[in-house]
Amino acid sequence: MEPKENGSELGQKIIDGPTNPMVTPLLNDLYQFTMAYAYWKAGKHNERSVFDLYFRKNPFGGEYTVFAGLEECVKFLANFKLTDEEIDFVQECLPGSEEAFCDYLRGLDCSDVEVYAIPEGSVVFPKVPLMRVEGPVGVVQLLETPFLNLVNFASLVATNAARHRFVAGKSKSLLEFGARRAQGPDGAISASKYCYLGGFDATSNVAAGKLFGIPLRGTHSHAYVSSFMSTDEIVDKVLRSADGKTTCEDFVSHVQTWLKKIQYSPSLSGIFSETNQSELAAFTSYALAFPKTFLALVDTYDVMKSGIPNFCAVALALNDFGYKALGIRLDSGDLAYLSREARNFFCTVERELKVPGFGKMVVTASNDLNEETIDALNKQGHEVDAFGIGTYLVTCYSQAALGCVFKLVEINNQPRIKLSEDVTKVSIPCKKRSYRLYGKEGYPLVDIMTGENEPPPKVGERLLCRHPFNESKRAYVVPQRVEELLKCYWRGSADEAREVLPPLKEIRDRCIKQLENMRPDHMRRLNPTPYKVSVSAKLYDFIHFLWLNEAPVGELQ
Amino acid sequence: MEPKENGSELGQKIIDGPTNPMVTPLLNDLYQFTMAYAYWKAGKHNERSVFDLYFRKNPFGGEYTVFAGLEECVKFLANFKLTDEEIDFVQECLPGSEEAFCDYLRGLDCSDVEVYAIPEGSVVFPKVPLMRVEGPVGVVQLLETPFLNLVNFASLVATNAARHRFVAGKSKSLLEFGARRAQGPDGAISASKYCYLGGFDATSNVAAGKLFGIPLRGTHSHAYVSSFMSTDEIVDKVLRSADGKTTCEDFVSHVQTWLKKIQYSPSLSGIFSETNQSELAAFTSYALAFPKTFLALVDTYDVMKSGIPNFCAVALALNDFGYKALGIRLDSGDLAYLSREARNFFCTVERELKVPGFGKMVVTASNDLNEETIDALNKQGHEVDAFGIGTYLVTCYSQAALGCVFKLVEINNQPRIKLSEDVTKVSIPCKKRSYRLYGKEGYPLVDIMTGENEPPPKVGERLLCRHPFNESKRAYVVPQRVEELLKCYWRGSADEAREVLPPLKEIRDRCIKQLENMRPDHMRRLNPTPYKVSVSAKLYDFIHFLWLNEAPVGELQ
């Protein structure tokens, strides 16, 4: 469960291994090893290559993506080493391969690899490299599958979380409740991590809380409620008051008394008659265990006829001994309606029974929530304070995969291009730099990619930005601020300083800040404006020169 | 990477821990621990409870599901133990909890738990318990989240694999290529495992190959092709013949000679002119590394104008030295058309250049394939022999989650029910047995659940099967064969023999056999017939008695 201890040393820093110990060099497609062998056999394995990791389309019908997964990639890289057992297995997989290849694999590490990346938690856009990975082609090729695996889902689920935050609004609590429905154990744990990164407040996943310091939330389930038959089961009925000064000898009867009071109070009478006694027993018992943090799931039998009155009876009884109940959770039914009815009930209790603050009870809603249902709740009007979101969030149900790719853009200083009949799949060749240009209002205006050696864009200087493939799409931009996007996260043999890996909380803060700083029309759910991604005029010309050079000319007969 | 060694001993058997070492008791929703505390505080933690794990609806619009994940659950259970560090963390999460609770957690294991389950790899249906878990409510509650996590995705992706097999047909090779797009590292590894279980033939995922003995497949990527500039790069041009008797000193020239022959052969002339030389270099070099298993990706530049002729030149050159090339992979474009064109080309080569068997070259297709695209390819007519399927398969893109739940059905010998305004969400109470009844034609006819102590259905004896909630849906069945579904996989303190955990290959065989034995109308993609799931007359009556008993009666005013 703990991160690996065998971090490699670099300068003074030791970097732990990836969170999941299953992330080893064998978490790879076989063809990375067959290629490594073929490169090695051809004496090409040490040729200096440059690969770009990028995606082609923003997910969820939106126009932005949150980049996540970088830290895990660096942790993987820093500890990249095949064990003898792994090497034996690779050799078995490549029948006929020469013994000396094993020696090559044995000596393999990432000391000659450089990784430049956009900081984790940044808002990013299609085609712009999230990571540029340089190094001997034999080893860099072996990073492709693990890097894609570690970035694809991380970025997808962080983006999904950010989108849920956008629709829920800043003032609501967002709780990730997905562990049981996630795609496997670290589908759960990494979803918890990256949902927090993308702006969630807490998770139900204890392992993720422990690993990453994410706040934890949770109370009880329907099973807890139905495990009780009646209040007779409660043996220890004693409750010490919050200040420790008094003791209630029979909290159960005290609750029953309050239930009667509610039942016969003028404005509440008639809403319900007898409440479910097993539910009342469960709530009472739960309150005895957690008097300071009492929060009850109220829909096991019937929200308004049983759950809410039972909850109120227990909360009022607690109140007499100096405890403030936290609130309720609704997990089924018409959440907009029930949350409003519950709020009314609480306010009536506050008014009629003169309990100040009772109306402000926290209402948490769960039950298959997603962007659409929260949006619908907003439109209907609701009284929900906190959303517990599971399945749709952590499995990214509305789009379960992000299509990041890892493409060779240069080898031996020769730019390379990958063609395709589908123009959106043509890669942008050359070792590149990329910049984010900001406008007068402080919003990002456009991302631009240039060749490695082109002069950087300058503040106040007019610059032609071209669509990489559509020749008529061009714009002049006078940037008010220029931000170079790729920073060095792994220096290999290069001299440059390496960025430190910030704590998760800091990455989350960056993400929230960057999302807030986007022009609103890029962020809206319906028909958002695409953010512009461009290349310099020089790079544009070069792409198209190389394209014509590599594409065979057809013959029509 | 290796399964944990610290398996607990039970009888003579030691059961390894779960595949992913991150599967610990903390892979849990916090509320399982708050409930454990509340049960313990109320002295209820050792009450004997029975929980059913089941799902409510088949995924992917189908009418069947493959049950998977059981082995991992048993491995988890067998090694269930909280470490001191974990207990400290739980205590931190429950402020105000009593110290003695930690002692309880310290002593917790699954020696008093019993698990009955349908064998892994079985075809299963909604509402019928996949697992029945019995034991002290405190500990069984802590199994809910991990069990659901381990079963939900496993069953979903195994079902997805089975559906892909159904549409591709028995004769095709199905290869799982999803590691890079999966939902995290063990999203990848477990998808590989469960796709194999569901009927796939191989995976690209080396780690899964090593862990589970799944056959591995893979050749090279576009990057390998574009890493070459020209055949001048190939330094070592020597190829020893397959029988070791002759040596080709300049395999590169030999390939070039064949390329010219193809180009000027009467029926092929005109299809292409100059092919891409970097591609030719890459293929030649790859063939020198893997002469026995040459398979080339042919769409980096242009399939028909470059990739196929280059491949044929290399394959024909290999053939001269006793090597049979395997075939090609297509990763873009119109796969139906290109596979047919490629097949024509191969057959023409066989005929014109007199190379017997050349027309049978294996055509592998990849590129965002799924059930729909394979179905469309079938309708268009194609010449694909093997499908490489990634994203849509491993992320279960068309439905990213299965909604398995874990419901309390009995505690202290008292049946419990969970009500809901949505009738499909009402749980079926009681500790139950379930049976599959087979008809005259050998197909399964109906699954029936009964109370624990009802006599089992008998062969040849007429039996009333009732829909659990719809009173008018009833059928008499005379079973020709009766199969009890739940078998004991963990015996706790009970006397019953425990089923052994079969190897993956055996589970896969069971799955394939069961799928083949289903009545075809349940299996078809369009409007399949629902398989019938029922309860005994006695259980029906009891469900509805309990329901009325627990549901509050409304008051209309």
Side-chain angles (χ1 to χ4, degrees):
Chain A
M1 194 93 215
E2 294 304 284
K4 271 202 254 172
E5 297 282 341
N6 61 332
S8 81
E9 210 166 323
L10 199 103
Q12 289 97 319
K13 279 250 165 193
I14 288 180
I15 299 180
D16 289 329
T19 303
N20 186 342
M22 294 175 87
V23 181
T24 71
L26 293 202
L27 181 66
N28 235 320
D29 290 303
L30 179 65
Y31 80 1
Q32 311 292 10
F33 285 103
T34 55
M35 284 192 279
Y37 181 72
Y39 285 133
W40 175 83
K41 189 83 171 91
K44 272 177 81 76
H45 53 293
N46 282 327
E47 288 184 4
R48 195 95 193 146
S49 59
V50 183
F51 284 78
D52 282 350
L53 189 154
Y54 62 96
F55 60 93
R56 296 178 180 129
K57 199 171 178 320
N58 289 302
F60 310 119
E63 290 296 345
Y64 66 95
T65 299
V66 172
F67 173 42
L70 176 61
E71 182 191 17
E72 295 288 335
C73 290
V74 175
K75 288 178 161 187
F76 173 67
L77 191 78
N79 295 276
F80 184 96
K81 197 85 199 156
L82 284 118
T83 65
D84 286 342
E85 198 200 338
E86 289 170 341
I87 292 169
D88 290 348
F89 185 74
V90 170
Q91 199 184 12
E92 273 174 48
C93 297
L94 306 177
S97 63
E98 293 172 28
E99 186 60 39
F101 178 62
C102 293
D103 298 333
Y104 165 65
L105 290 180
R106 210 162 281 125
L108 221 54
D109 64 25
C110 290
S111 58
D112 201 18
V113 171
E114 290 165 63
V115 172
Y116 299 82
I118 300 181
E120 187 160 4
S122 296
V123 176
V124 292
F125 303 97
K127 301 193 213 66
V128 182
L130 307 176
M131 299 171 73
R132 187 180 81 205
V133 186
E134 312 175 28
V137 67
V139 62
V140 175
Q141 195 78 73
L142 288 171
L143 301 176
E144 174 174 11
T145 309
F147 275 19
L148 289 174
N149 181 280
L150 292 169
V151 168
N152 261 325
F153 179 59
S155 300
L156 184 72
V157 75
T159 307
N160 204 19
R163 296 182 62 85
H164 280 79
R165 166 59 71 194
F166 182 83
V167 66
K170 268 173 147 183
S171 66
K172 302 296 174 192
S173 273
L174 291 184
L175 320 172
E176 176 272 311
F177 281 177
R180 63 190 57 198
R181 301 281 169 84
Q183 297 202 350
D186 75 6
I189 291 172
S190 55
S192 302
K193 176 179 182 182
Y194 297 114
C195 287
Y196 183 65
L197 188 158
F200 267 56
D201 296 302
T203 178
S204 64
N205 183 336
V206 183
K210 182 165 187 293
L211 280 167
F212 311 117
I214 305 171
L216 286 166
R217 290 294 183 80
T219 54
H220 67 82
S221 70
H222 296 117
Y224 184 81
V225 175
S226 45
S227 79
F228 284 81
M229 300 293 288
S230 87
T231 49
D232 299 344
E233 284 179 67
I234 304 176
V235 184
D236 184 358
K237 305 174 180 182
V238 178
L239 180 70
R240 280 290 286 277
S241 68
D243 59 9
K245 287 181 187 159
T246 53
T247 299
C248 171
E249 293 300 332
D250 188 353
F251 185 66
V252 175
S253 302
H254 199 71
V255 168
Q256 298 276 20
T257 309
W258 269 115
L259 188 60
K260 290 270 172 288
K261 277 195 209 167
I262 305 168
Q263 200 165 351
Y264 298 114
S265 93
S267 318
L268 297 170
S269 133
I271 293 186
F272 65 101
S273 47
E274 290 307 308
T275 62
N276 186 295
Q277 288 298 297
S278 69
E279 183 178 61
L280 187 67
F283 290 179
T284 307
S285 176
Y286 198 74
L288 285 165
F290 297 104
K292 290 181 194 161
T293 55
F294 178 60
L295 197 155
L297 175 64
V298 294
D299 69 336
T300 304
Y301 299 104
D302 188 299
V303 174
M304 294 313 299
K305 288 180 210 137
S306 184
I308 295 285
N310 279 339
F311 165 78
C312 289
V314 176
L316 289 163
L318 281 174
N319 185 60
D320 288 340
F321 298 93
Y323 297 105
K324 298 269 168 246
L326 295 183
I328 57 159
R329 179 160 72 94
L330 297 168
D331 189 41
S332 60
D334 181 336
L335 298 173
Y337 169 78
L338 290 171
S339 68
R340 289 194 314 261
E341 287 298 299
R343 180 72 65 214
N344 282 342
F345 202 103
F346 298 147
C347 290
T348 310
V349 167
E350 170 164 356
R351 218 171 38 241
E352 298 252 331
L353 302 170
K354 311 216 166 18
V355 194
F358 202 91
K360 297 215 166 52
M361 214 52 87
V362 168
V363 177
T364 302
S366 48
N367 188 28
D368 287 349
L369 294 174
N370 59 26
E371 273 190 76
E372 281 65 40
T373 48
I374 296 172
D375 190 44
L377 287 172
N378 290 343
K379 283 172 186 153
Q380 293 163 62
H382 66 80
E383 286 289 339
V384 176
D385 305 293
F387 293 103
I389 314 182
T391 313
Y392 291 96
L393 177 68
V394 303
T395 65
C396 299
Y397 202 91
S398 67
Q399 181 182 328
L402 180 66
C404 278
V405 294
F406 191 79
K407 292 290 171 194
L408 180 72
V409 293
E410 190 176 298
I411 187 163
N412 279 332
N413 296 313
Q414 298 292 322
R416 306 305 290 144
I417 192 168
K418 194 257 151 189
L419 302 182
S420 172
E421 283 172 40
D422 179 356
V423 73
T424 63
K425 286 195 162 184
V426 174
S427 66
I428 299 180
C430 301
K431 181 168 170 175
K432 298 177 288 292
R433 290 179 184 269
S434 18
Y435 304 90
R436 184 156 297 172
L437 309 184
Y438 290 80
K440 278 187 184 157
E441 290 165 321
Y443 296 128
L445 284 183
V446 59
D447 285 4
I448 183 168
M449 292 171 264
T450 73
E452 167 77 359
N453 298 317
E454 288 186 56
K458 287 208 187 74
V459 169
E461 226 169 69
R462 203 170 79 139
L463 180 76
L464 182 64
C465 296
R466 299 200 64 168
H467 186 287
F469 301 114
N470 188 330
E471 74 175 329
S472 65
K473 284 196 176 170
R474 297 165 300 172
Y476 283 112
V477 176
V478 183
Q480 302 301 308
R481 184 154 82 84
V482 174
E483 184 186 8
E484 179 154 15
L485 290 172
L486 292 171
K487 314 225 182 273
C488 180
Y489 279 87
W490 186 255
R491 62 186 161 192
S493 52
D495 243 358
E496 289 171 69
R498 188 171 61 75
E499 299 288 320
V500 270
L501 296 174
L504 180 58
K505 186 74 174 53
E506 226 169 84
I507 301 175
R508 178 176 187 267
D509 292 343
R510 159 184 287 275
C511 173
I512 292 170
K513 208 175 134 199
Q514 287 223 350
L515 289 164
E516 280 173 1
N517 195 36
M518 289 299 297
R519 216 174 59 203
D521 58 317
H522 299 309
M523 310 305 284
R524 68 183 172 220
R525 291 187 63 236
L526 193 65
N527 297 329
T529 314
Y531 179 84
K532 284 186 180 56
V533 167
S534 68
V535 295
S536 67
K538 200 167 162 192
L539 183 55
Y540 178 90
D541 291 339
F542 186 74
I543 294 169
H544 293 264
F545 160 77
L546 198 65
W547 192 342
L548 292 181
N549 211 35
E550 295 285 1
V553 183
E555 305 249 346
L556 295 178
Q557 296 193 321
Chain B
M1 194 92 217
E2 294 305 287
K4 273 204 254 172
E5 298 281 344
N6 62 332
S8 80
E9 210 165 323
L10 200 101
Q12 290 96 319
K13 278 251 167 190
I14 287 179
I15 299 180
D16 291 328
T19 302
N20 188 342
M22 295 174 86
V23 181
T24 72
L26 293 201
L27 180 67
N28 234 321
D29 289 303
L30 180 64
Y31 80 0
Q32 311 291 9
F33 286 101
T34 55
M35 283 191 280
Y37 182 71
Y39 285 133
W40 174 82
K41 191 84 171 85
K44 274 178 79 77
H45 52 292
N46 282 329
E47 289 185 1
R48 195 94 194 148
S49 60
V50 182
F51 284 79
D52 281 349
L53 189 153
Y54 62 97
F55 60 93
R56 296 177 181 129
K57 198 174 179 315
N58 290 300
F60 311 118
E63 289 296 346
Y64 66 96
T65 299
V66 172
F67 173 43
L70 175 62
E71 181 191 17
E72 296 289 334
C73 290
V74 174
K75 287 177 163 189
F76 173 67
L77 190 77
N79 294 276
F80 184 96
K81 197 86 201 159
L82 283 118
T83 66
D84 287 342
E85 197 199 339
E86 289 169 342
I87 292 169
D88 290 348
F89 185 73
V90 170
Q91 200 185 12
E92 274 174 50
C93 297
L94 307 178
S97 63
E98 293 172 29
E99 187 59 39
F101 179 61
C102 293
D103 298 333
Y104 165 64
L105 290 180
R106 211 162 281 125
L108 221 53
D109 63 27
C110 291
S111 57
D112 202 19
V113 171
E114 290 166 64
V115 173
Y116 299 82
I118 301 180
E120 187 161 5
S122 297
V123 176
V124 292
F125 303 98
K127 300 193 217 67
V128 182
L130 307 176
M131 297 170 74
R132 187 180 82 204
V133 185
E134 311 175 29
V137 67
V139 62
V140 175
Q141 196 77 74
L142 288 172
L143 302 175
E144 173 175 12
T145 309
F147 275 19
L148 289 175
N149 180 282
L150 291 169
V151 168
N152 261 324
F153 180 58
S155 301
L156 184 72
V157 75
T159 308
N160 204 17
R163 296 181 62 85
H164 280 79
R165 166 59 73 195
F166 183 83
V167 64
K170 270 174 148 179
S171 66
K172 302 297 173 189
S173 274
L174 290 185
L175 320 172
E176 176 272 311
F177 282 176
R180 63 188 58 197
R181 301 282 169 79
Q183 296 202 350
D186 75 5
I189 291 171
S190 54
S192 301
K193 177 179 180 182
Y194 296 114
C195 287
Y196 183 66
L197 188 159
F200 268 56
D201 297 302
T203 178
S204 66
N205 183 338
V206 183
K210 182 165 184 293
L211 279 166
F212 310 117
I214 306 172
L216 287 165
R217 289 293 182 80
T219 55
H220 67 82
S221 71
H222 297 116
Y224 183 81
V225 175
S226 47
S227 78
F228 284 81
M229 301 293 288
S230 85
T231 49
D232 298 346
E233 282 179 68
I234 302 173
V235 185
D236 184 358
K237 307 174 181 182
V238 178
L239 180 71
R240 280 289 286 279
S241 66
D243 59 9
K245 288 183 185 158
T246 54
T247 300
C248 170
E249 292 301 332
D250 187 352
F251 185 67
V252 176
S253 303
H254 199 72
V255 168
Q256 298 278 16
T257 309
W258 270 114
L259 187 61
K260 288 270 170 291
K261 276 194 209 169
I262 306 168
Q263 198 165 354
Y264 297 115
S265 91
S267 319
L268 299 170
S269 136
I271 293 186
F272 65 101
S273 47
E274 289 308 307
T275 62
N276 186 295
Q277 288 298 295
S278 69
E279 183 179 62
L280 186 68
F283 288 0
T284 307
S285 176
Y286 198 75
L288 284 166
F290 296 105
K292 289 180 195 160
T293 55
F294 178 60
L295 196 154
L297 174 65
V298 293
D299 68 336
T300 304
Y301 299 104
D302 188 296
V303 174
M304 294 314 297
K305 288 179 208 136
S306 184
I308 294 287
N310 279 338
F311 165 78
C312 288
V314 176
L316 289 164
L318 280 173
N319 185 59
D320 288 340
F321 297 95
Y323 297 105
K324 297 268 169 248
L326 296 183
I328 57 160
R329 180 161 71 95
L330 297 167
D331 190 41
S332 59
D334 181 337
L335 297 173
Y337 168 80
L338 290 171
S339 68
R340 291 195 312 262
E341 288 296 299
R343 180 72 64 212
N344 280 343
F345 202 105
F346 297 148
C347 290
T348 310
V349 166
E350 170 164 357
R351 219 169 40 240
E352 297 252 330
L353 303 171
K354 308 209 166 31
V355 194
F358 202 91
K360 299 215 166 52
M361 213 52 86
V362 169
V363 177
T364 302
S366 49
N367 189 29
D368 288 348
L369 294 174
N370 59 26
E371 272 189 79
E372 280 66 39
T373 48
I374 296 172
D375 190 45
L377 287 173
N378 289 344
K379 283 171 184 151
Q380 293 163 59
H382 65 81
E383 285 289 338
V384 175
D385 306 293
F387 293 102
I389 314 182
T391 313
Y392 291 95
L393 176 69
V394 302
T395 65
C396 300
Y397 203 90
S398 65
Q399 181 180 327
L402 179 66
C404 278
V405 295
F406 190 81
K407 294 289 172 196
L408 180 72
V409 293
E410 189 176 299
I411 188 163
N412 278 335
N413 296 314
Q414 297 294 323
R416 304 307 290 147
I417 192 168
K418 193 253 149 191
L419 302 183
S420 174
E421 286 174 36
D422 180 356
V423 72
T424 65
K425 285 193 162 187
V426 174
S427 66
I428 298 179
C430 303
K431 179 167 170 178
K432 299 177 288 292
R433 292 180 182 268
S434 18
Y435 303 89
R436 184 157 297 172
L437 308 184
Y438 291 79
K440 279 189 184 153
E441 289 165 321
Y443 296 126
L445 283 183
V446 59
D447 284 4
I448 184 167
M449 292 171 263
T450 73
E452 168 77 358
N453 298 316
E454 289 187 56
K458 287 208 186 74
V459 170
E461 225 167 70
R462 205 170 77 141
L463 180 75
L464 182 63
C465 297
R466 296 200 66 167
H467 186 288
F469 301 113
N470 189 329
E471 75 174 328
S472 65
K473 284 194 176 171
R474 297 166 299 172
Y476 284 113
V477 176
V478 183
Q480 302 303 306
R481 184 153 81 83
V482 175
E483 184 186 8
E484 178 151 18
L485 290 172
L486 291 171
K487 314 219 182 278
C488 180
Y489 280 88
W490 185 255
R491 64 186 159 186
S493 53
D495 241 1
E496 291 173 67
R498 189 170 60 73
E499 298 287 320
V500 271
L501 297 173
L504 180 58
K505 184 74 171 56
E506 228 170 82
I507 301 174
R508 179 176 186 267
D509 291 344
R510 160 183 288 274
C511 174
I512 292 171
K513 207 175 136 199
Q514 287 223 348
L515 290 164
E516 281 172 2
N517 197 36
M518 289 299 297
R519 215 174 59 204
D521 58 318
H522 299 308
M523 310 306 282
R524 67 184 173 220
R525 292 187 62 236
L526 194 66
N527 298 329
T529 313
Y531 179 82
K532 285 187 181 57
V533 167
S534 67
V535 294
S536 66
K538 197 168 165 191
L539 184 55
Y540 179 90
D541 291 339
F542 185 75
I543 294 170
H544 294 264
F545 161 76
L546 199 64
W547 191 343
L548 292 181
N549 210 39
E550 294 286 1
V553 182
E555 305 253 345
L556 292 178
Q557 296 194 319

